[in-house]
Amino acid sequence: MSQDYFGFSLLRNYARNGTATVAVNNPADISVIVIYFLVVLAVGVWAMIRTNRSTVGGFFLAGRSMVWWPIGASLFASNIGSGHFVGIAGTAAAGGIAIGGFEWNALIVVVILGWLFVPIYIKAGVVTMPEYLKKRFGGQRIRIYLSVLSLFLYVFTKISADMFSGAIFINLALGLNIYLAVIMLLAITALYTVTGGLAAVIYTDTLQTIIMVVGSFILMGFAFNEVGGYESFQQRYMEAIPSITANVSASCYEPRADSFHIFRNAITGDLPWPGLVFGLTIQATWYWCTDQVIVQRCLSAKNLSHVKAGCILCGYLKLLPMFLMVFPGMISRILYPDVVACVDPVECEKYCGASVGCTNIAYPKLVLDLMPNGLRGLMLSVMMASLMSSLTSIFNSASTLFTMDIYTKIRRTANERELMIAGRLFILALIGVSIAWIPVVQSAQSGQLFDYIQSITSYLSPPVAAVFMLAIFCKRVNESGAFYGLVIGLLIGLSRMISEFAFGTGSCNNPSNCPTIICGVHYLYFAIILFVISCIIILGVSLMTKPIDDKHLYRLCWSLRNRTEERVDIEQDDWIDNQESNSMDIDEPQEEPGFCKKAVMGFCGLEQERAPQLSAEEQAELQRKLTDTTEVPLWRNIVNANALILLCVAVFFHGFFG
């Protein structure tokens, strides 16, 4: 998602230009927003009461009880944030439909997730991705490296970008101060993540997916009605040129000749087709198959057929962004060419306070100008919903990573209750960091931070994707290979990222002076190069060092996935559930907690009753159920057939719009 995420200083300048009008100031809109938030809280509370949140498995994996449709909806909702609405529509307004290829790539990758990756994770019996790598390779360094890198990526790409785009919306619609708006949102979001655990997150995600899809469908209808259908839309987009162009070169403001093609020239294209096919798939494999946010949804499923069906549903939902975000973004350029497509720095500064361009406000402007009262409130709720569902997913998963991978190193004897409290406190700390990060997001002129979401991912994720792929499909890979592949890959990625930050990306009429040898390689090509280098290092170092015995790898890699022998862990788990130490103090009379304490404990899912003590046989049976991947043959065949249909649909759409 290249050069078009601009508008960072948008928020401070509205008041100066006298355009800080409050768009949502009628009873219909306000009542829709209020009702919406009440319903979301009600669903969160209902999920909270229904599910078991006082155990690690209950809070972090929804007690392994989810069926396929909430999983599919939740996968989609945690992936689509308000950053998508603002960002994809903005890039589409500037460069055409190719950005939709980013979304459609996922149709193929979710099948890889459900059929190849998740069965191994379930058989391994893991809660987090670094935990899988620890079982697969042993040692602490890979696990800690991955946890820290994931938390770093969460804060600097996902959380900050989503909050920024949410703030553009709130600021345009309500004229609220950005800090106030974000703190309000975070408060509501944190309330039900801290209290409800994963089940509350998955149920509220499902509700929000429905509202998101319905609201954006209605907007798409209004937008197409405004331009007079698809044929007229194609013709008018190519003519959408701002009236004031100053002395800027025509290539900066005329729509691209290949605007209606996904696959673009390999050398001159803004999103070259080999990058879109191969580079993006590497990035998507990291995001969909090894990222805690996504995999955690799948691990909460009742059984493997539910995982696969959830992945298929998510794949079909991923067809929608092209129609719900890309086309409306392009229509916004047709309806408001002087604002959305402005090129003259003075004009852009006047319209949205960013001298490099205003494509970022394409979607918010469409919502506020085209939607009737009431529906405008619904769409604003949708934006809040997508922002909140992304944030809740990230907060829940980040606290899982911190608790299970970092906290258990510091406190090896922590009991289950202490882990639950540590996870919840960590969410609060994350929110503090996120709020402190807002001024950085705001002051990064010309949308640099936003511009970098995709590119930062391309610079940092390929080594991780390489390690997971080789860990699962090549049993010869060992800890030394994986570690050196990760570290050297990270250094190469950081060198490109830091040089880009230092020189800046520039804009069309003011190019960056970064040396071509460093910044001239498109970031999707860079991802391919980095992935190949990482694979070579991992395999090379592994072949030069001692292999891992098969007895340590049963059910951890593809070739040994069906072995039933007892697996010998390379290293014992650090955290042992302190049931025994708890059973020592049973004789002491327990004092009854006061009403206030009881209420707070109940609200946070930290009830006093202990989980029933399980005998060794019950414990073994529970473990067998958690790592069971058997499927009913009928349902297995049904999901397999549906996966083939999904892949055919993906090929058809790529061909039709290619």
Side-chain angles (χ1 to χ4, degrees), residues 444-503:
Q445 198 57 36
S446 83
Q448 283 182 4
L449 252 179
F450 219 97
D451 188 359
Y452 286 152
I453 289 180
Q454 286 300 328
S455 45
I456 282 181
T457 312
S458 292
Y459 306 149
L460 300 182
S461 64
V464 181
V467 164
F468 272 95
M469 272 185 171
L470 292 172
I472 287 177
F473 298 111
C474 174
K475 68 176 189 174
R476 181 65 183 80
V477 170
N478 61 18
E479 200 267 351
S480 310
F483 181 71
Y484 287 109
L486 282 172
V487 169
I488 295 169
L490 178 71
L491 293 174
I492 297 171
L494 280 177
S495 63
R496 161 83 191 246
M497 190 174 111
I498 291 166
S499 56
E500 225 176 63
F501 264 119
F503 286 103

Side-chain angles (χ1 to χ4, degrees), residues 16-36:
R16 196 176 63 209
N17 300 330
T19 51
T21 51
V22 179
V24 180
N25 55 3
N26 54 55
D29 284 342
I30 293 166
S31 49
V32 166
I33 293 173
V34 170
I35 291 168
Y36 172 77

Side-chain angles (χ1 to χ4, degrees), residues 70-84 103 154 158-159 162 198 201-202 204-206 208-209 212 287-288 291-298 314 317-318 385-397:
I71 292 173
S74 179
L75 284 174
F76 178 69
S78 12
N79 168 243
I80 298 282
S82 53
H84 273 69
E103 299 303 299
Y154 283 156
K158 294 181 181 170
I159 298 180
D162 268 353
L198 187 66
V201 172
I202 290 184
T204 44
D205 273 358
T206 310
Q208 288 168 354
T209 305
M212 236 193 288
Y287 179 78
W288 288 98
D291 187 30
Q292 183 68 27
V293 175
I294 298 296
V295 175
Q296 194 179 355
R297 302 282 170 287
C298 296
C314 176
L317 288 172
K318 287 292 280 179
S386 63
L387 174 71
M388 281 167 50
S389 66
S390 289
L391 290 178
T392 44
S393 306
I394 292 163
F395 288 148
N396 187 279
S397 300

Side-chain angles (χ1 to χ4, degrees), residues 6-19:
F6 303 117
F8 264 79
S9 57
L10 194 66
L11 303 152
R12 288 158 308 182
N13 298 318
Y14 272 127
R16 196 176 63 209
N17 300 330
T19 51

Side-chain angles (χ1 to χ4, degrees), residues 204-504:
T204 44
D205 273 358
T206 310
L207 172 76
Q208 288 168 354
T209 305
I210 296 166
I211 294 182
M212 236 193 288
V213 170
V214 171
S216 30
F217 257 117
I218 295 171
L219 180 64
M220 182 184 75
F222 275 110
F224 270 109
N225 180 44
E226 203 69 23
V227 290
Y230 190 71
E231 310 291 312
S232 159
F233 155 62
Q234 281 181 301
Q235 180 199 335
R236 288 178 62 183
Y237 178 77
M238 299 312 284
E239 298 160 0
I241 294 169
S243 53
I244 301 170
T245 54
N247 51 358
V248 179
S249 112
S251 61
C252 291
Y253 60 80
E254 286 179 353
R256 296 179 60 92
D258 54 9
S259 287
F260 285 89
H261 295 282
I262 291 179
F263 297 122
R264 299 184 174 180
N265 189 294
I267 292 150
T268 58
D270 55 343
L271 291 171
W273 72 263
L276 207 62
V277 174
F278 302 109
L280 188 58
T281 305
I282 292 165
Q283 220 179 302
T285 302
W286 165 77
Y287 179 78
W288 288 98
C289 303
T290 73
D291 187 30
Q292 183 68 27
V293 175
I294 298 296
V295 175
Q296 194 179 355
R297 302 282 170 287
C298 296
L299 292 180
S300 67
K302 259 184 179 164
N303 59 37
L304 194 55
S305 297
H306 281 286
V307 175
K308 291 176 175 177
C311 288
I312 291 170
L313 173 64
C314 176
Y316 282 120
L317 288 172
K318 287 292 280 179
L319 284 171
L320 299 175
M322 177 70 95
F323 307 102
L324 301 185
M325 297 170 206
V326 174
F327 290 164
M330 293 165 77
I331 290 173
S332 187
R333 176 179 179 138
I334 297 172
L335 300 179
Y336 320 107
D338 288 346
V339 180
V340 175
C342 69
V343 279
D344 180 21
V346 182
E347 286 295 302
C348 293
E349 188 75 41
K350 190 174 81 185
Y351 289 123
C352 67
S355 59
V356 282
C358 291
T359 51
N360 250 357
I361 65 170
Y363 201 86
K365 191 158 178 54
L366 214 53
V367 171
L368 297 176
D369 288 8
L370 289 191
M371 295 294 254
N373 293 350
L375 282 177
R376 191 186 295 119
L378 180 74
M379 276 314 282
L380 192 69
S381 313
V382 169
M383 291 303 112
M384 300 308 110
S386 63
L387 174 71
M388 281 167 50
S389 66
S390 289
L391 290 178
T392 44
S393 306
I394 292 163
F395 288 148
N396 187 279
S397 300
S399 73
T400 312
L401 275 179
F402 171 77
T403 312
M404 306 309 279
D405 294 327
I406 297 172
Y407 192 76
T408 49
K409 305 286 171 296
I410 307 164
R411 292 264 305 150
R412 288 172 187 273
T413 56
N415 61 20
E416 187 140 24
R417 176 138 176 204
E418 186 181 328
L419 289 185
M420 307 302 296
I421 293 171
R424 287 161 161 92
L425 289 176
F426 180 71
I427 294 179
L428 297 177
L430 246 180
I431 288 172
V433 173
S434 310
I435 292 175
W437 190 244
I438 297 173
V440 183
V441 179
Q442 253 186 310
S443 58
Q445 198 57 36
S446 83
Q448 283 182 4
L449 252 179
F450 219 97
D451 188 359
Y452 286 152
I453 289 180
Q454 286 300 328
S455 45
I456 282 181
T457 312
S458 292
Y459 306 149
L460 300 182
S461 64
V464 181
V467 164
F468 272 95
M469 272 185 171
L470 292 172
I472 287 177
F473 298 111
C474 174
K475 68 176 189 174
R476 181 65 183 80
V477 170
N478 61 18
E479 200 267 351
S480 310
F483 181 71
Y484 287 109
L486 282 172
V487 169
I488 295 169
L490 178 71
L491 293 174
I492 297 171
L494 280 177
S495 63
R496 161 83 191 246
M497 190 174 111
I498 291 166
S499 56
E500 225 176 63
F501 264 119
F503 286 103

Side-chain angles (χ1 to χ4, degrees), residues 133-142 479 548 570-571:
L133 289 186
K134 182 180 174 252
K135 281 188 194 281
R136 171 69 176 79
F137 295 120
Q140 296 295 346
R141 51 191 189 171
I142 293 182
E479 200 267 351
I548 299 174
I570 301 177
E571 275 181 36

